[in-house]
Amino acid sequence: MKIHYFQRYHQGEDVATANTMLLLSRLYQYSPDKFYLFLQSICAPNAMWDFNPGLSFNLQENAPKSRLDAVIVQQSFKVAVETKLSDWFHADQIQNHLEVFGEERYKVLMTLAPVHMATGKMKAVARAIAAHQEENGYELPIIHVNITFEDLATTYRNVLDYRDYEMLDILEDYLDYCYHDGLIVGANSWKFMRMQLAGATFDFNMKEGVYYDGAKRGFRPHDYLGLYKNKSVRAVGKIVAMIVADASNPNDVKYTVEKGDLTNERQTKIALAIKDAKQYGYDLRKEPQRYFFVDTFYETDFQKETRYPPRGSRIFDLTEVFGTQNIPAAPSLAALLRKKTWK
């Protein structure tokens, strides 16, 4: 069973803030240098910040007239975080939040939401900051960073490399959490390929054009599915249907259609998958399974350069793999992947 780092049992701004601060604190514990690189990348790419030991991540920080969702603070800087589940920021609340700043040299207000702040609200926040700046005569201007959960995750990913296995796992779970709770909108599934490990079941998957996984596991929306075996993605197909089947009662299988249609052929293939899995010691009736149906799995050879096998599934942004926004049809995609490698 996959371990989740981020809670999914409750929703709301407090949970979104707590999970995001956990993500950032794990990066700081892992590598302060990479954390500071991340922080500079989103807050002040051209500034030379002074970083010292003793960084704190504080939830529910009180200002004189309001309460911040979170604060990241060190002697030389303070990042005040206000989280919303939509573009529901108000200038008067922001004005009150600015009172949290004091003697630190660098002051950052981070407004975090699934979507970017509307232009009118950005201007209102800018006016509130300018008025507060003039009133207090700060040496350096307050920096306002309006960022989405997706932007934050992308910047986080950019400071990691392929050897940061634990951090990549944590980031992937954070992304799954964000998609689960609707914190990332406009999923752009058309450009993503999910790689799944398919050793023992590979031949069955290829023949029947179906792959299965526990329905409780979160995943990022993706249009393409790649099957990994022997240090390479050996097949790729475009997903045409996703169906969850609860077969705990063989005489009354419950189906939930998430994409495509529930046809007689697909019901038959689900029954075949349950039967085939038994020979490998898998009982697909113990818990609901999500079945991914593709048009066809096309053979390919998208090889992994590095020595160690992947520890689980992985998402590839195909626009980054190929350097283009134009993703070809699955047969051509399979041919092009043969010319590429990954780490």
Side-chain angles (χ1 to χ4, degrees), residues 178-288:
C178 287
Y179 283 108
H180 180 274
D181 277 25
L183 301 179
I184 294 180
V185 296
N188 294 325
S189 62
W190 60 270
K191 67 178 183 177
F192 292 125
M193 177 183 75
R194 189 178 192 91
M195 179 207 75
Q196 296 281 25
L197 308 183
T201 65
F202 182 83
D203 291 340
F204 175 84
N205 301 141
M206 289 290 293
K207 178 183 177 182
E208 302 298 340
V210 61
Y211 182 89
Y212 49 83
D213 198 10
K216 293 181 180 179
R217 299 183 182 181
F219 67 94
R220 198 185 320 179
H222 55 289
D223 279 8
Y224 296 93
L225 183 63
L227 303 181
Y228 177 92
K229 181 181 178 181
N230 297 334
K231 291 203 66 177
S232 182
V233 176
R234 301 288 177 177
V236 63
K238 186 169 184 178
I239 298 171
V240 294
M242 290 189 300
I243 298 168
V244 174
D246 180 351
S248 56
N249 181 353
N251 298 318
D252 186 22
V253 180
K254 305 294 185 183
Y255 299 100
T256 302
V257 178
E258 297 181 335
K259 180 177 181 178
D261 299 311
L262 177 63
T263 63
N264 290 334
E265 180 185 9
R266 287 171 183 158
Q267 290 183 60
T268 299
K269 288 189 176 185
I270 289 173
L272 287 173
I274 293 172
K275 181 179 179 180
D276 181 75
K278 289 181 179 179
Q279 65 181 304
Y280 309 114
Y282 306 147
D283 186 353
L284 303 187
R285 291 175 172 163
K286 282 188 174 180
E287 62 180 29

Side-chain angles (χ1 to χ4, degrees), residues 7-20 60 69 83-86 112 114 149 177 180-183:
Q7 63 168 304
R8 292 159 168 79
Y9 302 108
H10 304 282
Q11 294 181 318
E13 294 171 2
D14 290 348
V15 175
T17 304
N19 282 346
T20 302
Q60 303 297 316
D69 290 321
T83 305
K84 298 293 184 186
L85 301 184
S86 63
L112 175 65
F149 291 93
Y177 154 72
H180 180 274
D181 277 25
L183 301 179

